[in-house]
Amino acid sequence: MEKIKVLISQQEIEKKVSETAERINRDFKDKKLFVISILSGSVVFCSDIIRKLNIDFELDFIRVSSYKGKNSSGEIKFIADTAIDMKGKDILIIEDICDSGRTLSYIKDLFIKRKANSVKICVLINRNSEKIKNVDIDYMGFNIEKEFVIGYGLDCDGKYRGLPYIGKLED
Ligand code: IMP
Ligand code: MG
């Protein structure tokens, strides 16, 4: 059995989720929000966030993939699209982790091309990588260093998504 080191505890995540949802409630008060969760990694974070929203919102999903094991293939594969017509809508993209920012900037650009009124980004984790990020994160959870992380929706080859905390595999 692999050893896992806890980096962000369940309690820390819960606190951050509440704070983030409160900010979203405040910012989108009196508006209709369209939440788009990027499958599969963000599904746990997103379902915790939406249960704390007290605003009018709809939820849909898109699926993209770029990682194999601990490495990015560098290429974004679009696997499933949302059925929501974005024209004039206020969109909030929810993502598990931002590394190079390639996935998020690709998706944000796509939604802008579809003429959304606004596109905001909420991520649970931002990795401080030396890679250039060309995307602004509006709602940021935690910053981490270089390590590859698992748990709370994040996987390594499809495993560990159900852990209630964020950790890393120890060698
Ligand atoms: P980016 O396009 O380089 O920003 O990579 C973001 C995507 O890579 C996320 O949607 C994740 O699916 C995946 N990813 C990046 N780092 C990790 C990690 O540490 N654990 C699990 N998945 C990761
Ligand atoms: Mg992902």
Side-chain angles (χ1 to χ4, degrees), residues 43-87:
V43 79
V44 179
F45 178 45
C46 181
S47 51
D48 280 351
I49 289 276
I50 60 167
R51 282 177 291 171
K52 293 197 180 297
L53 295 184
N54 54 27
I55 51 169
D56 186 12
F57 75 92
E58 279 186 34
L59 171 66
D60 204 359
F61 301 89
I62 59 172
R63 179 187 289 270
V64 292
S65 119
S66 64
Y67 267 63
K68 214 172 189 314
K70 293 186 179 181
N71 299 302
S72 171
S73 65
E75 184 196 331
I76 296 157
K77 265 201 257 158
F78 210 96
I79 299 164
D81 203 350
T82 165
I84 290 174
D85 172 10
M86 306 229 148
K87 200 168 172 196

Coordinates of all heavy atoms in Angstrom, one line a residue, residues 43-87:
V43 N -15.2 17.5 -9.6 CA -16.6 17.2 -9.3 C -16.8 17.2 -7.7 O -17.9 17.6 -7.3 CB -17.0 15.8 -9.9 CG1 -16.4 14.6 -9.2 CG2 -18.5 15.7 -10.1
V44 N -15.8 16.9 -7.0 CA -16.0 16.8 -5.5 C -16.0 18.3 -5.0 O -16.9 18.7 -4.2 CB -14.8 16.0 -4.8 CG1 -15.0 16.1 -3.3 CG2 -14.8 14.6 -5.3
F45 N -15.1 19.1 -5.4 CA -15.0 20.5 -5.0 C -16.3 21.2 -5.4 O -16.9 21.9 -4.6 CB -13.8 21.1 -5.7 CG -13.6 22.6 -5.5 CD1 -13.7 23.1 -4.2 CD2 -13.2 23.4 -6.5 CE1 -13.5 24.5 -4.0 CE2 -13.0 24.8 -6.3 CZ -13.1 25.3 -5.1
C46 N -16.7 21.0 -6.7 CA -17.9 21.6 -7.2 C -19.2 21.3 -6.4 O -20.0 22.1 -6.1 CB -18.1 21.3 -8.7 SG -19.5 22.1 -9.4
S47 N -19.3 20.0 -6.1 CA -20.5 19.6 -5.4 C -20.5 20.1 -4.0 O -21.6 20.4 -3.4 CB -20.7 18.1 -5.4 OG -19.6 17.4 -5.0
D48 N -19.4 20.3 -3.4 CA -19.3 21.0 -2.0 C -19.7 22.5 -2.2 O -20.4 23.0 -1.3 CB -18.0 20.8 -1.4 CG -17.8 19.4 -0.7 OD1 -18.8 18.7 -0.6 OD2 -16.7 19.1 -0.3
I49 N -19.1 23.1 -3.2 CA -19.4 24.6 -3.4 C -20.9 24.8 -3.6 O -21.5 25.6 -3.0 CB -18.6 25.1 -4.6 CG1 -17.1 25.2 -4.3 CG2 -19.1 26.5 -5.1 CD1 -16.6 26.5 -3.6
I50 N -21.5 24.1 -4.6 CA -22.9 24.4 -5.0 C -23.8 24.2 -3.8 O -24.9 24.8 -3.7 CB -23.4 23.6 -6.2 CG1 -23.3 22.1 -6.0 CG2 -22.6 24.1 -7.5 CD1 -24.0 21.4 -7.1
R51 N -23.5 23.3 -2.9 CA -24.4 23.1 -1.8 C -24.4 24.2 -0.8 O -25.2 24.3 0.2 CB -24.1 21.7 -1.1 CG -24.7 20.6 -1.9 CD -24.4 19.3 -1.3 NE -23.0 18.9 -1.5 CZ -22.4 17.9 -0.9 NH1 -23.1 17.1 -0.2 NH2 -21.1 17.7 -1.1
K52 N -23.4 25.1 -1.0 CA -23.4 26.3 -0.1 C -23.8 27.6 -0.8 O -23.8 28.7 -0.3 CB -22.0 26.5 0.4 CG -21.6 25.4 1.4 CD -20.4 25.8 2.2 CE -20.0 24.7 3.2 NZ -21.0 24.4 4.2
L53 N -24.3 27.4 -2.1 CA -24.8 28.6 -2.8 C -26.2 28.9 -2.5 O -27.0 27.9 -2.4 CB -24.6 28.4 -4.3 CG -23.2 28.3 -4.9 CD1 -23.2 28.2 -6.4 CD2 -22.3 29.4 -4.4
N54 N -26.5 30.1 -2.3 CA -27.9 30.5 -2.1 C -28.4 31.5 -3.1 O -29.4 32.2 -3.0 CB -28.1 31.1 -0.7 CG -27.2 32.3 -0.4 OD1 -26.8 32.9 -1.4 ND2 -26.8 32.6 0.8
I55 N -27.8 31.4 -4.3 CA -28.2 32.2 -5.5 C -28.8 31.3 -6.5 O -28.8 30.1 -6.4 CB -26.9 32.9 -6.1 CG1 -25.8 31.9 -6.3 CG2 -26.4 34.0 -5.2 CD1 -24.7 32.3 -7.2
D56 N -29.4 32.0 -7.5 CA -30.0 31.2 -8.6 C -28.9 30.7 -9.6 O -28.1 31.5 -10.1 CB -30.9 32.2 -9.4 CG -31.7 31.6 -10.5 OD1 -31.8 30.3 -10.5 OD2 -32.3 32.3 -11.2
F57 N -28.8 29.4 -9.7 CA -27.7 28.9 -10.6 C -28.2 27.7 -11.3 O -29.1 26.9 -10.9 CB -26.4 28.7 -9.9 CG -26.4 27.4 -9.0 CD1 -26.0 26.2 -9.5 CD2 -26.9 27.5 -7.7 CE1 -26.0 25.1 -8.7 CE2 -26.9 26.3 -6.9 CZ -26.5 25.1 -7.4
E58 N -27.5 27.4 -12.5 CA -27.6 26.1 -13.2 C -26.3 25.5 -13.2 O -25.3 26.2 -13.2 CB -28.2 26.3 -14.6 CG -29.7 26.5 -14.6 CD -30.3 26.5 -16.0 OE1 -29.7 25.8 -16.9 OE2 -31.2 27.2 -16.2
L59 N -26.3 24.2 -13.3 CA -25.0 23.4 -13.3 C -24.9 22.6 -14.6 O -25.8 21.9 -15.0 CB -25.0 22.5 -12.1 CG -23.8 21.5 -12.0 CD1 -22.5 22.2 -11.8 CD2 -24.1 20.6 -10.8
D60 N -23.7 22.6 -15.2 CA -23.4 21.6 -16.3 C -21.9 21.3 -16.3 O -21.2 21.9 -15.5 CB -23.8 22.2 -17.6 CG -24.1 21.1 -18.7 OD1 -24.0 19.9 -18.3 OD2 -24.5 21.4 -19.8
F61 N -21.6 20.4 -17.1 CA -20.2 19.8 -17.1 C -19.6 19.8 -18.5 O -20.3 19.7 -19.5 CB -20.3 18.4 -16.6 CG -20.9 18.3 -15.2 CD1 -22.2 18.1 -15.1 CD2 -20.1 18.3 -14.1 CE1 -22.8 18.0 -13.8 CE2 -20.6 18.3 -12.8 CZ -22.0 18.1 -12.7
I62 N -18.2 20.0 -18.5 CA -17.5 19.6 -19.7 C -16.4 18.7 -19.3 O -16.0 18.6 -18.1 CB -16.9 20.9 -20.4 CG1 -15.9 21.6 -19.5 CG2 -17.9 21.8 -20.9 CD1 -15.2 22.7 -20.2
R63 N -15.9 17.9 -20.3 CA -14.9 16.9 -19.9 C -13.7 17.2 -20.9 O -13.9 17.2 -22.1 CB -15.4 15.5 -20.1 CG -14.3 14.5 -19.8 CD -14.8 13.1 -20.1 NE -15.8 12.6 -19.2 CZ -15.5 12.0 -18.0 NH1 -14.3 11.7 -17.7 NH2 -16.5 11.6 -17.2
V64 N -12.6 17.4 -20.3 CA -11.3 17.5 -21.1 C -10.3 16.6 -20.5 O -10.4 16.3 -19.3 CB -10.8 19.0 -21.2 CG1 -11.7 19.9 -22.0 CG2 -10.5 19.5 -19.8
S65 N -9.3 16.3 -21.2 CA -8.2 15.5 -20.6 C -6.9 15.9 -21.2 O -6.7 16.2 -22.4 CB -8.5 14.0 -20.7 OG -7.5 13.4 -21.5
S66 N -5.9 16.0 -20.3 CA -4.5 16.3 -20.8 C -3.4 15.5 -20.1 O -2.3 15.5 -20.5 CB -4.2 17.8 -20.7 OG -4.2 18.2 -19.3
Y67 N -3.8 14.9 -19.0 CA -2.8 14.2 -18.2 C -2.8 12.7 -18.4 O -3.8 12.1 -18.5 CB -3.0 14.5 -16.7 CG -2.1 15.7 -16.3 CD1 -2.4 17.0 -16.8 CD2 -1.1 15.6 -15.3 CE1 -1.6 18.1 -16.4 CE2 -0.4 16.7 -14.9 CZ -0.6 17.9 -15.5 OH 0.1 19.0 -15.1
K68 N -1.6 12.1 -18.3 CA -1.4 10.7 -18.2 C -0.5 10.5 -17.0 O 0.6 11.0 -17.0 CB -0.8 10.2 -19.5 CG -1.3 8.8 -19.9 CD -0.8 8.5 -21.3 CE -1.4 7.2 -21.8 NZ -1.5 6.1 -21.1
G69 N -0.9 9.7 -16.0 CA -0.1 9.6 -14.8 C 0.2 10.9 -14.2 O -0.7 11.8 -14.1
K70 N 1.5 11.2 -13.9 CA 1.8 12.5 -13.3 C 2.3 13.5 -14.4 O 2.8 14.6 -14.0 CB 3.0 12.3 -12.3 CG 2.5 11.5 -11.1 CD 3.6 11.4 -10.1 CE 3.2 10.6 -8.8 NZ 4.2 10.6 -7.8
N71 N 2.1 13.2 -15.6 CA 2.7 14.1 -16.6 C 1.6 14.6 -17.6 O 0.7 13.9 -18.0 CB 3.7 13.4 -17.5 CG 4.9 13.0 -16.6 OD1 5.5 13.9 -15.9 ND2 5.2 11.7 -16.5
S72 N 1.7 15.9 -18.0 CA 0.8 16.5 -18.9 C 1.2 16.1 -20.3 O 2.4 16.1 -20.6 CB 0.8 18.0 -18.8 OG 0.0 18.5 -19.9
S73 N 0.2 15.7 -21.1 CA 0.6 15.4 -22.5 C 0.8 16.7 -23.3 O 1.3 16.6 -24.4 CB -0.6 14.6 -23.2 OG -1.7 15.5 -23.2
G74 N 0.4 17.8 -22.7 CA 0.6 19.1 -23.4 C -0.5 19.4 -24.4 O -0.5 20.5 -25.0
E75 N -1.4 18.4 -24.6 CA -2.4 18.6 -25.6 C -3.7 18.4 -24.9 O -3.9 17.5 -24.1 CB -2.2 17.5 -26.6 CG -3.1 17.5 -27.8 CD -3.1 16.2 -28.5 OE1 -2.0 15.5 -28.5 OE2 -4.1 15.8 -29.1
I76 N -4.7 19.3 -25.2 CA -6.0 19.3 -24.5 C -6.9 18.5 -25.4 O -7.1 18.9 -26.6 CB -6.5 20.7 -24.2 CG1 -5.6 21.3 -23.2 CG2 -7.9 20.6 -23.6 CD1 -5.6 22.8 -23.2
K77 N -7.5 17.4 -24.9 CA -8.5 16.7 -25.7 C -9.9 17.0 -25.1 O -10.1 16.9 -24.0 CB -8.2 15.2 -25.5 CG -7.4 14.6 -26.6 CD -7.6 13.1 -26.7 CE -6.4 12.4 -26.1 NZ -6.6 11.1 -25.6
F78 N -10.7 17.5 -26.0 CA -12.1 17.9 -25.6 C -12.9 16.7 -25.8 O -13.1 16.1 -26.9 CB -12.6 19.0 -26.6 CG -13.5 19.9 -25.9 CD1 -13.1 21.1 -25.4 CD2 -14.9 19.6 -25.9 CE1 -14.0 22.0 -24.8 CE2 -15.8 20.4 -25.2 CZ -15.3 21.6 -24.7
I79 N -13.5 16.2 -24.7 CA -14.2 14.9 -24.8 C -15.7 15.1 -24.7 O -16.4 14.4 -25.4 CB -13.7 14.0 -23.6 CG1 -12.2 13.7 -23.8 CG2 -14.5 12.7 -23.6 CD1 -11.5 13.2 -22.6
A80 N -16.2 16.0 -23.9 CA -17.7 16.3 -23.9 C -17.9 17.7 -23.6 O -17.3 18.4 -22.7 CB -18.3 15.4 -22.8
D81 N -18.9 18.3 -24.3 CA -19.2 19.7 -24.2 C -20.5 19.9 -23.4 O -21.2 19.0 -23.2 CB -19.4 20.3 -25.7 CG -19.2 21.8 -25.7 OD1 -19.1 22.4 -24.7 OD2 -19.1 22.3 -26.9
T82 N -20.7 21.2 -23.0 CA -21.9 21.5 -22.3 C -23.0 21.8 -23.3 O -22.7 22.2 -24.5 CB -21.7 22.8 -21.4 OG1 -23.0 23.3 -21.1 CG2 -20.9 23.9 -22.1
A83 N -24.2 21.6 -22.9 CA -25.4 21.9 -23.8 C -25.9 23.3 -23.6 O -26.8 23.8 -24.3 CB -26.5 20.9 -23.6
I84 N -25.3 24.0 -22.7 CA -25.8 25.4 -22.4 C -25.4 26.4 -23.5 O -24.2 26.4 -23.9 CB -25.2 25.9 -21.0 CG1 -25.9 25.1 -19.9 CG2 -25.4 27.4 -20.8 CD1 -25.3 25.3 -18.5
D85 N -26.4 27.1 -23.9 CA -26.1 28.2 -24.9 C -25.5 29.4 -24.1 O -26.2 30.0 -23.2 CB -27.4 28.6 -25.6 CG -27.2 29.8 -26.4 OD1 -26.0 30.3 -26.6 OD2 -28.2 30.4 -26.9
M86 N -24.3 29.7 -24.3 CA -23.6 30.7 -23.4 C -23.9 32.1 -23.7 O -23.5 33.0 -22.9 CB -22.1 30.5 -23.5 CG -21.7 29.1 -23.3 SD -20.4 29.0 -22.1 CE -20.7 27.5 -21.4
K87 N -24.5 32.4 -24.8 CA -24.7 33.8 -25.2 C -25.3 34.6 -24.1 O -26.4 34.3 -23.7 CB -25.5 33.8 -26.5 CG -25.3 35.1 -27.2 CD -25.9 35.1 -28.6 CE -25.8 36.5 -29.2 NZ -26.7 36.6 -30.3

